Amino acid sequence: MKIAVSSDLHLDLNHVNVTEFISQQAHYLTRQGIDHYFFVGDAFNDFEQTRAYFAELQSQLPTTKVHYLAGNHDMLKGVTYEQLENLDDDLYFHNRSIDIPETNWRIIGNNGWYDYSFSTYESKAAEVTRWKRAYWVDRLIIQPMNDPERMVIVLHEVERALKQARLENKRVIFMTHFAPIREALSHPLIKSARRQRMWEMTTAMLGSKYLGALLARFPEVKKVFYGHLHYVRPLITVENIEYHNQAVGVKRKSGGEWKGTSLLDQWINRLYTKKI
């Protein structure tokens, strides 16, 4: 059984011909003999486009099964929080799991969220919320609770899935969109108080240290895949868990996030593939 994992294609921001790109992806995944392709969030700034994209990709794959999570960009338009939690779509992988035949591997998916715990402003939630509403793209996302409360729900969902995996003697690969450990973040050299505050506000929206702590409680978890952070990080191992960031990122004029000359090149370059 061979899996492939990627994240953060941002097809609209990268101004790609989607029809052509889907055909190229389908050809590559089929040629590589991929049985399961997992995407862990941020395809479009509109969930309806994201869902249509993966449905079309699946239709062109004769032997590969597609699974996708929603990133914060996918949540900006075209979907409610209730739909994200209860979507009737066989390709959607949030709060679901897949057992790999003839192995004891279980792959668990959860969109994830953030709770400001990567930031020194964790205890100043009201201040972070004001900044988010003024500057952060996620201000467009409507949810029936605040961010820390939403992350608590995520932690409950993940813990329930991990306990079930333990009961069934499964080894776990966990997939989510947001960063699960503080070690995944970069450490820029910042020389002004204003820029330091901006950085702390940004890190507040990148993930949750409590997810990493939860995963560390379960030795069944062997690998974790995430995206959201566009800069390439080497493999990180914490508490005997491998953390993989497979984000493709957005092509800038400066070329900062990309090594490939095209989105297809960059996607192939960042694609994780392995037999399990």
Side-chain angles (χ1 to χ4, degrees), residues 14 16 99 152 158 195-196 241 264:
N14 282 316
V16 68
D99 290 341
V152 168
V158 174
R195 288 185 176 274
Q196 182 63 40
I241 300 173
L264 181 66

Side-chain angles (χ1 to χ4, degrees), residues 8-16 248-251 258 263:
D8 293 79
L9 279 168
H10 293 284
L11 293 154
D12 40 7
L13 299 180
N14 282 316
H15 307 291
V16 68
V248 172
V250 178
K251 186 173 179 63
W258 279 30
L263 182 61

